[in-house]
Amino acid sequence: QKLFTSSFWNLYPNTSQRMSDVWGFTSFFAGEKSVSLKLIEQGKAEGVNVLSNNEKVAGQVVFHTHVHIIPRKKGDGLKIV
């Protein structure tokens, strides 16, 4: 059965509850959620794009798992395709 949600933040709304997580995936995105929501609460963003470049051809220059949190505001003109 597939799980559908409006964003991956909604997968684990209570970040203190952890699933069995061999690779640290849940903890990793709990950190992303925390930073992103703080940006929104402080008025520095209305939303965010979360970007992960995987492999050199996709623009990865730092070869460890990480994400880029891109603060967004209405009308900022940034286009991500």
Side-chain angles (χ1 to χ4, degrees):
Q1 180 179 11
K2 291 184 179 182
L3 174 65
F4 293 94
T5 180
S6 61
S7 77
F8 55 82
W9 296 342
N10 296 331
L11 291 173
Y12 308 105
N14 181 351
T15 56
S16 66
Q17 294 177 331
R18 300 283 189 254
M19 291 178 49
S20 174
D21 189 359
V22 176
W23 297 286
F25 182 83
T26 304
S27 297
F28 182 81
F29 282 105
E32 175 276 325
K33 178 181 179 179
S34 175
V35 170
S36 297
L37 292 177
K38 190 162 288 203
L39 287 168
I40 293 167
E41 289 167 6
Q42 293 175 351
K44 296 178 180 178
E46 295 171 359
V48 299
N49 287 109
V50 179
L51 177 67
S52 177
N53 300 334
N54 295 285
E55 301 301 332
K56 188 174 185 176
V57 70
Q60 185 176 10
V61 295
V62 178
F63 290 89
H64 63 256
T65 302
H66 66 282
V67 295
H68 301 267
I69 300 171
I70 305 168
R72 301 300 305 271
K73 288 197 173 183
K74 185 176 181 176
D76 63 18
L78 181 61
K79 303 268 188 218
I80 297 179
V81 289

